[in-house]
């Protein structure tokens, strides 16, 4: 029994002491287990040694302590506060030392053994995840201590257990030497955040085992061999396999892939225990300079996934993990990089079952050392190598039996050094069946993949064409963008342009969008909190909110766009020959699981529909198929064929009819509105009337269209800057958001130069510019009418030396009492020049609230693209040409000033933007800016709108 108070282990570079060697994670068929999750007594101290160890003694009175839930983080349960930094260590960099101010949580759990707990054999106490350093006692006996927050640690405890009144005590320190290895762009959240389990270990039970299940694609056969520390037999009934451990057997099998995740149920039986096996046969190899699975190159259409829940942090339950995988599958995602640590082990089981390629990443990142040029970096310091090897072993041994894991990753943003080389050597020796990944190895000395983050399109194309430099070894390897398409706020833009490159150049084997989910923390006043909202000394703001899901797991427009960009079936046609081309973009599956439908739509309304017979095309194959004749009697107007590929039957991840891919093919062109200027402007009583329009006689400002009041109509060039507009301050490339503000585009002033009343038109001449700047735009508004409709033609000419593109170009005005909005054009969600692939031309309806996209940090959002006409508040608007539509219950300036959604207070006026153009989005919050073709250049422009106020029936 120990009562020492020494905490030297906290700053020890070793991985810890007392824990058992790592092994495969599994749930036994028949050995009992006892979950120790639930309510634990909890005491928080300010320092690592503020309290002695007496709390670990049986009989200690913790009645006055608080209670926390395990799994959980104490800072999300009212004890202290979260801290967010991207890469800066939130403590002085003096490895392996940590501050004296080191929040330390003492946890106590009393438990009884079930009445039928076996008396024979031993028991193991398993911790699946504790941040960042823990020391453990059972019934007063010190078991040891460990580091490696996202990794399992087990202790032998059978000799210490009692039938009742067992006392489990765990002291958890927020900061430790291990914190220097865990600088992973996430909230720093101490606590016991994964499961705690007591496992019975029967005599003769399984210790560790390794399932080797390869596939020979030429013979169609799989070879199974299960190596086990304890001898036994392996049976797989569906394959007729019944062999001793260590003996291989080759039989005909269906292979496992992310597209066809065929698993065979089996059992490993030793003298004392049976363990379930889920065997997937597949072979991963680096061949011909490509990563191949079962003989075929794969194209990764992936995401990076931190574990996150807005209330529970990294303490995820099985239902949440399943929801993540289902959402990925339903959005055509086929791969996950477990950034930047191994996930909860149950997540990998879901990837096996439902089908996702996995890059399993070690719990390692030392990014903060970049601030000092990587000096003293642990991965190049031999003292830390045992800790690095321990982390590599705990990942590989735990996860080695998952067919979904096809690549091991050494970690992330940890520089280079001897420790990484040692990790690579150990992993290759233990498991040569999987390639190695690490992005920070530019020479690819220790890796089998050339990996990059946020490389621009032009550089990616050069690499695809093998025009890049680097070592000879690197030039022979495939490229994976382990991070690209930074999904922070509105965006990411440019995904379709990347995908075209991936599909064009064989060497480019895809990438992983950063990242899966916004890490907003649920907050009663702010909605969702981000960095700085908890008073952190250092923080990186909303950089932690950069996901394709909002914190509540609602898909963002970015995820909808990504689904369309990476869809596994291409559907295309130009409408000139009455055919549609269908291309199978799967790597392994044919199209037999899909059904195809067509719809002939006029002005967004279906005139006819039916099914399309598509052969079960092999991967990579295409077919040109005849479309039906347009239905007789279909109304006149713009017409489109919409062809969809849907699931022909229910699958484990989506129901029958789920849309996998779609395409639209033009059938008849749009007729633009035509207004003949026949009405004459009439002045009187301070107003000018022109058809249905009423104008202020002095300023020429539009006041009403028919009975619909209109306010504040004028040219608008400003948008509330997006995270991608603003970029990151460490980037050397031009960042348009700061330049726009420097030019004053957020505070433009409008000078009235002339109001001219002509025979058939009202013309208003203005100049729009910012204080202290000579650059501006002349803007001419020309109003005409045919008596029932009002046509506005806006002409703009930039004046001065414009060196930057415009944020937007269009008009803005206010309307009262707008509830519903209906439009014909792109939808149902938002779209911008380089995020428009998923926009479906159709007839859509929404509330004004429904048009808003709830980014955690408010910014430009909600634009609907290619709008031919829209009706809102009794006003009808038609575009010449089509336009972007945005409508909000707050001004752009209010949106720009808001830090959180709760800052936005709806007003009585709905502010409507009709845009001729918008600047692209890009992903410059961490990646590249919009491509030049998506820039909204400051150049002469002319565009028109037709307004009317149709009488309500």
């Amino acid at each position: 029994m120990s009562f020492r108070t020494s905490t030297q282990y906290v700053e020890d570079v070793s991985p810890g002491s007392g824990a058992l060697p790592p092994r495969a994670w599994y749930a036994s068929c028949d050995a009992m287990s006892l979950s120790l999750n639930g309510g634990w007594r909890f005491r928080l101290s300010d320092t690592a040694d503020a309290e002695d160890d007496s709390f670990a003694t049986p009989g200690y009175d913790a009645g006055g302590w608080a209670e926390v839930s395990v799994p959980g983080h104490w800072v999300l349960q009212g004890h202290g506060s979260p801290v967010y930094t991207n890469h800066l260590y939130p403590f002085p960099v003096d490895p392996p030392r940590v501050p004296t101010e080191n929040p330390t949580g003492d946890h106590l759990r009393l438990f009884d053994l079930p009445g039928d707990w076996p008396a024979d054999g031993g028991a193991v106490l398993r911790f699946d995840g504790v941040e960042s350093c823990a020391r453990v006692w059972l019934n007063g006996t010190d078991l040891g201590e460990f580091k490696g927050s996202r990794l399992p640690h087990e202790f032998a405890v059978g000799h210490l257990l009692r039938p009742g009144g067992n006392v489990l005590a765990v002291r958890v320190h927020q900061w430790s030497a291990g914190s220097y290895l865990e600088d992973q762009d996430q909230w720093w959240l101490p606590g016991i955040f994964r499961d705690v389990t007591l496992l019975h270990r029967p005599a003769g039970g399984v210790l560790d085992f390794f399932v080797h299940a390869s596939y020979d694609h030429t013979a169609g056969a799989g070879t199974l061999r299960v190596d086990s520390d304890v001898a036994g037999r392996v049976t797989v009934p569906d394959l007729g396999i019944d062999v001793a451990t260590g003996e291989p057997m080759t039989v005909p099998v269906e292979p496992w892939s992310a597209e066809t995740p065929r698993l065979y149920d089996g059992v490993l039986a030793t003298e004392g225990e049976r363990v379930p096996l889920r065997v997937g046969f597949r072979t991963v190899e680096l061949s011909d300079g490509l990563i191949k699975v079962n003989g075929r190159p794969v194209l990764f259409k992936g995401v990076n996934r931190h574990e996150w829940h807005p209330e529970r942090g990294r303490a995820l339950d099985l239902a949440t993990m399943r929801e993540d995988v289902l959402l990925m599958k339903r959005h055509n995602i086929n791969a996950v990089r477990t950034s930047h640590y191994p996930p909860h082990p149950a997540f990998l089981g879901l990837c096996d079952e439902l089908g996702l390629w996995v890059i399993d990443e070690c719990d390692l990142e030392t990014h903060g050392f970049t601030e000092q040029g990587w000096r003293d970096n642990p991965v190049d310091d031999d003292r830390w190598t045992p800790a690095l090897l321990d982390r590599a072993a705990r990942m590989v041994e735990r996860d080695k039996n998952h067919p979904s894991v096809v690549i091991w990753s050494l970690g992330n943003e940890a520089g280079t050094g001897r420790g990484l080389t040692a990790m690579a050597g150990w992993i290759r020796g233990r498991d040569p069946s999987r390639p190695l990944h690490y992005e920070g190895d530019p020479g690819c000395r220790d890796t089998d993949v050339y990996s990059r983050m946020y490389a621009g399109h032009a550089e990616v194309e050069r690499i695809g064409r093998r025009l890049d430099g680097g070592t000879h070894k690197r030039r022979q390897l495939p490229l994976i963008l382990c991070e690209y398409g930074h999904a922070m706020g509105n965006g990411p833009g440019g995904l379709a342009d990347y995908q075209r490159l991936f599909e064009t150049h064989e060497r480019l084997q895809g990438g992983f969008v950063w990242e899966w989910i916004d890490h907003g923390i649920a907050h009663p006043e702010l909605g969702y909190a981000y960095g700085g909202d908890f008073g952190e000394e250092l923080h990186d703001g909303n950089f932690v909110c950069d996901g394709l899901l909002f914190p509540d797991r609602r898909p963002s427009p970015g995820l909808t766009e990504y689904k369309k960009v990476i869809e596994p079936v291409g559907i295309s046609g130009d409408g000139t020959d009455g055919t549609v081309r269908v291309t199978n973009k799967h790597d392994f599956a044919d199209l037999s699981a899909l059904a195809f439908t067509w719809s002939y739509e006029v002005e967004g309304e279906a005139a006819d529909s039916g099914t399309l017979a598509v052969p079960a095309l092999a991967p990579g194959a295409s077919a040109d198929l005849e479309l039906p004749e347009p239905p007789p009697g279909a109304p006149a107007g713009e017409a489109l064929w919409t062809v969809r590929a849907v699931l022909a039957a229910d699958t484990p991840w989506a129901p029958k009819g789920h849309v996998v891919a779609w395409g639209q093919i033009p059938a008849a062109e749009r007729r633009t509105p035509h207004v003949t200027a026949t009405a004459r402007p009439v002045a009187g009583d301070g107003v000018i009337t022109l058809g249905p329009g009423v104008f202020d006689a002095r300023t020429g400002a539009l006041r009403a269209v028919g009975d619909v009041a209109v306010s504040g109509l004028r040219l608008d060039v400003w948008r509330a800057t997006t995270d991608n507009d603003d970029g990151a301050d460490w980037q050397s490339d031009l960042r348009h958001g700061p330049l726009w503000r420097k030019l004053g585009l957020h505070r433009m002033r409008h000078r009235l130069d002339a109001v001219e009343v002509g025979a058939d038109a009202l013309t208003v001449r203005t100049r729009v510019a910012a204080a202290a700047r000579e650059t501006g735009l002349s803007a001419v508004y020309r109003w005409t009418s045919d008596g029932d409709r009002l046509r506005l033609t806006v002409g703009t000419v930039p004046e001065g030396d414009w060196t930057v593109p415009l944020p937007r170009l269009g008009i803005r005005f206010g309307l009262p009492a707008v509830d519903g909005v209906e439009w014909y054009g792109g939808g149902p969600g938002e779209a911008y020049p380089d995020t428009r692939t998923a926009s479906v031309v159709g007839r859509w309806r929404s509330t004004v609230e429904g048009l808003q996209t709830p980014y955690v940090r408010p910014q430009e959002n909600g634009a609907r693209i290619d709008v031919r006409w829209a009706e809102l508040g009794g006003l009808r608007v038609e575009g010449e040409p089509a336009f972007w539509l945005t409508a909000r219950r707050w001004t752009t300036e209010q949106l720009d000033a808001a830090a959180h959604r709760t800052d936005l207070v709806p007003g009585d006026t709905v502010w409507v933007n009709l845009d001729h153009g918008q600047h692209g989005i890009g992903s410059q919050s961490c990646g590249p800016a919009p491509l030049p073709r998506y820039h909204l250049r400051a150049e002469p422009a002319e565009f028109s709108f037709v307004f009317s106020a149709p009488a309500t029936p």
Side-chain angles (χ1 to χ4, degrees):
M1 191 173 296
S2 169
F3 298 101
R4 63 187 174 89
T5 58
S6 172
T7 55
Q8 293 178 352
Y9 62 89
V10 173
E11 295 181 336
D12 193 328
V13 299
S14 75
S17 64
L20 295 169
R23 63 186 181 122
W25 192 99
Y26 64 90
S28 177
C29 289
D30 39 27
M32 290 189 67
S33 67
L34 176 65
S35 172
L36 298 179
N37 296 345
W40 288 52
R41 289 293 183 178
F42 176 77
R43 175 181 66 187
L44 181 64
S45 303
D46 294 333
T47 65
D49 54 4
E51 303 284 349
D52 63 25
D53 305 344
S54 60
F55 79 103
T57 307
Y60 182 88
D61 183 7
W65 288 20
E67 184 173 293
V68 295
S69 292
V70 171
H73 306 277
W74 69 68
V75 293
L76 297 182
Q77 300 183 63
H79 305 279
S81 298
V83 175
Y84 168 62
T85 60
N86 168 28
H87 77 278
L88 297 175
Y89 289 109
F91 48 79
V93 179
D94 183 21
R97 305 297 301 278
V98 295
T100 300
E101 297 82 12
N102 187 358
T104 295
D106 289 334
H107 299 68
L108 271 179
R109 176 74 154 84
L110 275 62
F111 66 93
D112 299 330
L113 294 178
D116 57 349
W117 189 269
D120 64 318
V124 167
L125 177 65
R126 182 172 67 208
F127 295 87
D128 281 314
V130 183
E131 182 176 333
S132 73
C133 173
R135 183 176 163 202
V136 185
W137 297 261
L138 180 63
N139 292 327
T141 297
D142 186 352
L143 301 180
E145 67 277 341
F146 62 88
K147 308 176 189 76
S149 298
R150 267 68 71 175
L151 296 162
H153 294 82
E154 294 182 330
F155 297 90
V157 296
H159 60 296
L160 300 174
L161 289 173
R162 306 167 180 173
N166 291 283
V167 179
L168 176 58
V170 185
R171 173 162 286 171
V172 180
H173 307 281
Q174 175 158 20
W175 309 124
S176 70
S179 301
Y180 285 100
L181 305 179
E182 296 173 2
D183 187 21
Q184 292 146 325
D185 184 12
Q186 59 183 336
W187 294 98
W188 299 87
L189 299 175
I192 306 172
F193 67 94
R194 287 184 184 162
D195 305 291
V196 182
T197 312
L198 183 68
L199 304 168
H200 175 241
R201 304 308 306 130
V206 173
L207 294 179
D208 191 21
F209 62 96
F210 197 160
V211 177
H212 305 274
S214 61
Y215 180 71
D216 182 343
H217 65 279
T218 60
T223 299
L224 177 65
R225 187 186 83 244
V226 178
D227 296 331
S228 175
D229 289 357
V230 176
R233 294 198 70 80
V234 176
T235 55
V236 183
D238 286 354
L239 296 175
I241 292 178
D242 185 348
V243 295
T245 53
E247 294 184 8
M249 185 169 182
T250 301
V251 293
V253 298
E254 299 174 34
W256 188 97
S257 74
E259 295 169 7
T260 55
R262 181 66 165 96
L263 292 173
Y264 292 91
D265 290 326
V267 173
L268 164 62
T270 64
E271 179 184 356
E273 183 180 17
R274 294 173 305 138
V275 170
L277 305 177
R278 303 204 79 190
V279 181
F281 292 88
R282 52 104 191 104
T283 294
V284 188
E285 61 180 340
L286 185 66
S287 175
D288 303 320
L290 298 172
I291 295 174
K292 295 182 179 180
V293 178
N294 302 334
R296 298 184 63 88
V298 295
L299 184 60
F300 295 107
K301 304 170 183 178
V303 291
N304 287 275
R305 176 185 175 269
H306 269 298
E307 294 183 306
W308 188 251
H309 188 282
E311 285 88 27
R312 302 192 299 271
R314 287 188 285 279
L316 297 189
D317 58 7
L318 182 61
T320 300
M321 290 184 270
R322 180 174 287 274
E323 182 181 355
D324 278 349
V325 176
L326 292 177
L327 278 170
M328 290 176 190
K329 294 290 290 187
R330 291 168 185 167
H331 287 85
N332 294 329
I333 290 164
N334 73 0
V336 176
R337 175 180 175 230
T338 68
S339 53
H340 297 294
Y341 42 82
H344 189 291
F347 179 79
L348 297 178
L350 293 169
C351 295
D352 295 341
E353 172 192 338
L354 296 169
L356 289 171
W357 309 115
V358 175
I359 296 181
D360 198 357
E361 193 148 273
C362 194
D363 189 12
L364 172 63
E365 180 169 338
T366 63
H367 198 175
F369 285 91
T370 189
E371 295 294 316
Q372 54 202 59
W374 296 106
R375 187 175 60 256
D376 297 328
N377 183 13
V379 304
D380 200 29
D381 183 334
D382 292 338
R383 295 176 302 162
W384 294 80
T385 299
L388 302 183
L389 290 172
D390 180 76
R391 288 171 184 248
R394 291 188 182 278
M395 171 183 70
V396 171
E397 301 294 7
R398 191 197 76 168
D399 298 343
K400 59 183 177 282
N401 295 326
H402 289 283
S404 59
V405 176
V406 292
I407 297 175
W408 299 118
S409 178
L410 300 178
N412 184 68
E413 292 177 319
T416 57
R418 291 162 289 175
L420 285 171
T421 300
M423 292 171 69
W426 185 91
I427 294 175
R428 285 196 173 103
R430 177 58 172 150
D431 179 27
S433 71
R434 294 173 171 101
L436 288 187
H437 166 272
Y438 176 67
E439 181 270 340
D441 181 14
C444 299
R445 178 184 64 182
D446 299 322
T447 61
D448 302 306
V449 178
Y450 179 27
S451 179
R452 290 292 306 279
M453 293 181 182
Y454 307 109
H457 299 82
E459 182 182 1
V460 171
E461 182 169 20
R462 286 196 301 273
I463 296 171
R465 294 180 181 275
R466 300 186 183 274
L467 300 176
D468 56 312
T471 63
H472 175 77
K473 178 184 177 182
R474 191 180 86 181
R475 292 197 303 273
Q476 311 310 309
L477 297 180
L479 175 79
I480 291 176
L481 291 182
C482 68
E483 294 178 23
Y484 83 112
H486 197 249
M488 185 175 176
N490 187 333
L495 293 178
D497 303 280
Y498 277 114
Q499 194 66 23
R500 279 191 287 271
L501 294 173
F502 297 159
E503 294 177 2
T504 300
H505 303 288
E506 186 180 52
R507 186 186 183 192
L508 308 179
Q509 291 200 251
F512 296 78
V513 168
W514 185 268
E515 65 159 300
W516 178 236
I517 187 169
D518 287 342
H519 299 198
I521 294 178
H523 192 284
E525 287 84 37
L526 303 176
Y528 292 106
Y530 49 76
D533 289 333
F534 297 96
E536 300 101 305
E537 181 181 40
L538 290 174
H539 67 85
D540 287 286
N542 68 313
F543 201 70
V544 76
C545 295
D546 45 12
L548 294 169
L549 295 182
F550 297 119
D552 60 3
R553 280 184 160 71
R554 280 187 293 168
S556 74
L559 182 56
T560 304
E561 173 78 357
Y562 195 37
K563 175 186 177 180
K564 173 63 178 168
V565 165
I566 61 175
E567 61 189 9
V569 181
I571 300 172
S572 61
D574 59 15
T576 59
D577 57 2
T579 66
V580 58
R581 168 160 286 197
V582 176
T583 302
N584 183 1
K585 296 184 179 183
H586 288 99
D587 292 325
F588 297 92
D590 63 22
L591 298 186
S592 58
L594 301 177
F596 290 78
T597 66
W598 59 264
S599 176
Y600 185 84
E601 297 156 3
V602 181
E603 301 290 328
E605 299 283 0
D608 200 1
S609 61
T611 60
L612 186 68
V614 177
L617 298 171
S622 297
D624 293 314
L625 306 169
E626 293 285 339
L627 289 166
E629 291 294 322
E638 181 182 15
L640 295 166
W641 296 96
T642 300
V643 177
R644 295 179 175 87
V646 303
L647 290 178
D650 291 345
T651 71
W653 50 269
K656 176 182 178 180
H658 168 78
V659 177
V660 172
W662 59 269
Q664 288 191 303
I665 301 157
E669 292 184 356
R670 177 192 178 213
R671 296 176 297 178
T672 56
H674 179 71
V675 175
T676 302
T678 58
R680 300 174 62 86
V682 178
D685 296 327
V687 299
I688 298 170
T689 59
L690 177 61
V694 180
F695 300 83
D696 185 293
R698 182 178 62 85
T699 64
L702 179 67
R703 289 185 174 179
V705 178
D707 295 331
V708 180
V710 179
S711 61
L713 189 149
R714 64 186 189 182
L715 188 75
D716 194 10
V717 298
W718 180 244
R719 71 184 188 193
T721 53
T722 68
D723 293 312
N724 290 307
D725 290 336
D726 292 335
D729 57 12
W730 43 263
Q731 290 175 320
S732 59
D733 296 341
L734 289 179
R735 295 182 291 134
H736 289 122
L739 289 174
W740 290 339
R741 291 187 193 277
K742 184 176 180 180
L743 286 174
L745 301 189
H746 61 307
R747 51 180 178 82
M748 300 293 270
R749 297 294 179 261
H750 297 252
R751 186 184 73 206
L752 177 63
D753 287 342
V755 177
E756 301 168 355
V757 180
D760 61 358
L762 171 64
T763 302
V764 181
R765 303 183 185 277
T766 68
R767 187 174 190 271
V768 184
R773 297 293 172 186
E774 64 176 357
T775 52
L777 299 103
S778 67
V780 178
Y781 308 86
R782 187 172 189 272
W783 298 92
T784 58
S785 175
D786 61 3
D788 297 318
R789 297 176 296 169
L790 188 65
R791 183 174 189 262
L792 167 63
T793 298
V794 181
T796 63
V797 177
E799 298 177 345
D801 184 16
W802 281 89
T803 58
V804 296
L806 295 169
R808 71 176 347 129
L809 180 65
I811 61 170
R812 178 174 77 171
F813 57 87
L815 293 176
V818 173
D819 226 353
V821 181
E822 183 174 357
W823 73 98
Y824 170 47
E830 74 179 24
Y832 292 82
D834 54 348
T835 65
R836 60 179 296 159
T837 311
S839 185
V840 185
V841 175
R843 192 162 175 169
W844 307 104
R845 294 176 178 84
S846 176
T847 62
V848 172
E849 287 72 20
L851 293 176
Q852 314 311 306
T853 304
Y855 295 115
V856 174
R857 185 191 74 81
Q859 56 198 273
E860 166 62 35
N861 73 89
R864 269 55 179 183
I865 200 172
D866 293 333
V867 176
R868 282 74 159 162
W869 58 258
E871 293 184 357
L872 63 171
L875 184 69
R876 180 180 175 90
V877 184
E878 299 173 80
E880 298 181 44
F883 57 92
W884 272 272
L885 169 68
T886 310
R888 306 186 179 99
R889 297 194 188 278
W890 38 78
T891 64
T892 298
E893 290 74 21
Q894 290 168 327
L895 181 64
D896 197 25
H900 297 86
R901 288 279 300 173
T902 51
D903 295 332
L904 294 169
V905 180
D908 296 330
T909 300
V910 169
W911 292 97
V912 180
N913 278 91
L914 309 177
D915 289 319
H916 174 63
Q918 280 261 5
H919 186 63
I921 296 295
S923 65
Q924 203 173 4
S925 50
C926 192
L931 288 168
R933 62 176 167 273
Y934 302 123
H935 288 196
L936 180 59
R937 303 190 184 283
E939 56 192 14
E942 183 175 283
F943 47 94
S944 299
F945 304 101
V946 175
F947 299 90
S948 58
T952 304

